[in-house]
Amino acid sequence: MKHRTPLRKRLTVGLAAAALLGAGLSVPALTAGADEPRAAASCGATDAQIYTPPGSAPASPGTVIACRETKLPEVPGNIPMKAWKVQYSSSDNQGKPVAVSGTVAVPEKTWTGGGPRPVIAFNPGTLGLGPQCAFSKQLAGAYQDMYEGDNIAAALKAGYAVAATDGAGYLNGQTHPYVSGLDAGHALLDIARAAPGVPGSGLGKDAQVGLWGYSEGGQASLWAAQLAGKYAPELKVAGVASGGVPGDLKVVAKGLNGGPFAGFAADAVIGLAASHPAMPFDELMNDQGKEAIKKAKSLCLAGTIAQFAFNKIDNFTKDKLTLDQLYALKGTDGKTWGQVVDEQKLGVGIGPAGSGATHRIAFPTFQYRGLLEEVIPIETEDATRQAYCKAGIPVKWKTYAGEHLTTDNMASGDAVAFFGSRFQGKQPENNC
């Protein structure tokens, strides 16, 4: 039987039950040339330095700012590997340099597949906004509230290196810009850029790259796919595997608000407010809302679900604002909240290489969801797939006999096989 962490089992039971009920250190920045990131000289940073923002992040995305060797006890299978926690440079949704944390892991077994060892750039699913929730901390055993160690293990067993981003906003004093597409896509592409710069990784800058994520990670990986051609054209992205994708946040918000998984909507509002400071937010909150923000910023996945189940956004605002009323509010830049949310929608302005589309995608996609999906409305998952098909981008589509959480695990083997096919240059499967 495939290993599953105890937490996955606990969360599976919790999600099913909910469905039934509802249904001070400074890190010196390394300089980098204008053309490419510069490798770190050594990996001697302390753990505290990994999670402390630098005075200023390098302007060159993918620069390794700090790194330290680590162990990954929450990756099952006792896989011989070398692993590092890393802090690297990226760009926020306005193009401003930011520092992001993550993990790079490389199997010790010699790569015999031809060419440089491929890299899987991995974005985890929702972990919560608390600083202790960072994927790199959880993989290293400092805290346990995540469920994707099996996916990391599957990639490593296949011989691939893994560059797993925490996503922006997990450094001290920051807020994770949850579901902000540009922030997420940049962070994922930039850890793929950074991985070869980790001393001792042995990774090549010309390695093929696979983008992978589920749920929040599914949104992040598809955003990375849409941005790769312009933002990181030097990366040899071979394909993207994205499951449980919240493609249209307005559809998702309507489904979550007042339901058993309303905590994800709370995190989304907080994350988008943090990443879009021109928008009205704090001033809209009543005392209950202000307390809810503090609570959400301290919780990880299980706590977020439990704390906010069946709450509605109306209860947290001074004027009992509905979602539609919130969408109509304007920020200091003239945008409405509705426009900000719509900007995160996937499958808009996409096309294949040479199409002239805003987002040109030159590689196939593997998209998937559970038949018993109870968190993300299936209409938006299906609509994202349909938008990609309509745009002429190859899509391998598959559904699994699971709900939201278990589908992530069920699809793991197929995702790794998809990447193997892509790295070997085989004809992509397209069942649009």
Side-chain angles (χ1 to χ4, degrees), residues 50-413:
I50 295 295
Y51 302 104
T52 299
S56 60
S60 183
T63 300
V64 178
I65 301 171
C67 53
R68 66 177 276 108
E69 290 191 43
T70 190
K71 302 292 184 182
L72 303 181
E74 294 303 325
V75 175
N78 297 314
I79 304 165
M81 71 176 90
K82 292 183 178 179
W84 299 263
K85 288 185 176 183
V86 297
Q87 184 187 113
Y88 62 97
S89 61
S90 187
S91 304
D92 68 10
N93 62 84
Q94 297 297 316
K96 178 182 176 182
V98 293
V100 181
S101 53
T103 304
V104 173
V106 182
E108 290 186 358
K109 185 177 181 179
T110 302
W111 171 251
T112 59
R117 186 190 301 272
V119 176
I120 302 296
F122 186 87
N123 199 112
T126 300
L127 295 177
L129 302 182
Q132 76 277 18
C133 313
F135 196 47
S136 60
K137 293 181 179 179
Q138 298 205 47
L139 288 174
Y143 187 83
Q144 181 47 232
D145 192 41
M146 67 89 186
Y147 50 91
E148 293 194 285
D150 286 332
N151 288 339
I152 303 301
L156 293 171
K157 287 177 181 177
Y160 309 138
V162 173
T165 184
D166 290 343
Y170 283 107
L171 303 187
N172 298 336
Q174 298 180 347
T175 299
H176 176 48
Y178 185 64
V179 298
S180 176
L182 293 181
D183 291 274
H186 291 163
L188 187 56
L189 291 168
D190 287 330
I191 198 167
R193 283 169 153 167
V198 176
S201 71
L203 300 174
K205 294 178 180 178
D206 57 345
Q208 294 190 86
V209 174
L211 307 171
W212 187 11
Y214 184 80
S215 194
E216 178 190 357
Q219 187 215 29
S221 57
L222 272 190
W223 263 109
Q226 293 185 174
L227 297 170
K230 289 184 179 179
Y231 181 75
E234 80 283 8
L235 288 180
K236 295 184 177 180
V237 180
V240 57
S242 305
V245 179
D248 185 335
L249 294 186
K250 282 186 175 177
V251 174
V252 176
K254 183 178 179 180
L256 294 178
N257 194 34
F261 307 108
F264 299 140
D267 280 357
V269 172
I270 294 169
L272 289 176
S275 55
H276 296 78
M279 302 309 299
F281 182 60
D282 288 339
E283 62 271 32
L284 304 177
M285 297 295 114
N286 57 24
D287 290 343
Q288 184 181 353
K290 293 175 182 177
E291 186 60 31
I293 293 170
K294 291 180 183 178
K295 181 66 71 173
K297 288 183 178 182
S298 72
L299 295 171
C300 293
L301 175 58
T304 300
I305 294 173
Q307 178 69 33
F308 293 97
F310 305 107
N311 273 282
K312 298 188 71 173
I313 189 68
D314 321 28
N315 298 329
F316 300 118
T317 60
K318 294 176 182 177
D319 298 321
K320 302 294 182 182
L321 298 171
T322 65
L323 284 171
D324 286 339
Q325 288 172 327
L326 282 170
Y327 292 149
L329 298 179
K330 287 186 177 181
T332 56
D333 60 356
K335 284 186 180 179
T336 65
W337 261 120
Q339 289 175 305
V340 169
V341 175
D342 282 338
E343 286 173 354
Q344 317 313 316
K345 186 176 180 179
L346 285 159
V348 177
I350 60 172
S355 66
T358 300
H359 303 302
R360 295 183 289 278
I361 304 171
F363 43 83
T365 74
F366 171 36
Q367 298 183 40
Y368 50 97
R369 68 165 174 85
L371 291 170
L372 305 177
E373 172 67 69
E374 81 288 27
V375 178
I376 307 298
I378 61 172
E379 56 263 40
T380 186
E381 295 176 297
D382 293 350
T384 300
R385 173 249 185 143
Q386 291 161 4
Y388 271 69
C389 288
K390 185 177 180 180
I393 298 165
V395 178
K396 175 183 178 180
W397 172 256
K398 189 169 182 178
T399 55
Y400 296 85
E403 41 66 62
H404 188 72
L405 187 67
T406 54
T407 295
D408 184 22
N409 189 260
M410 289 177 177
S412 183

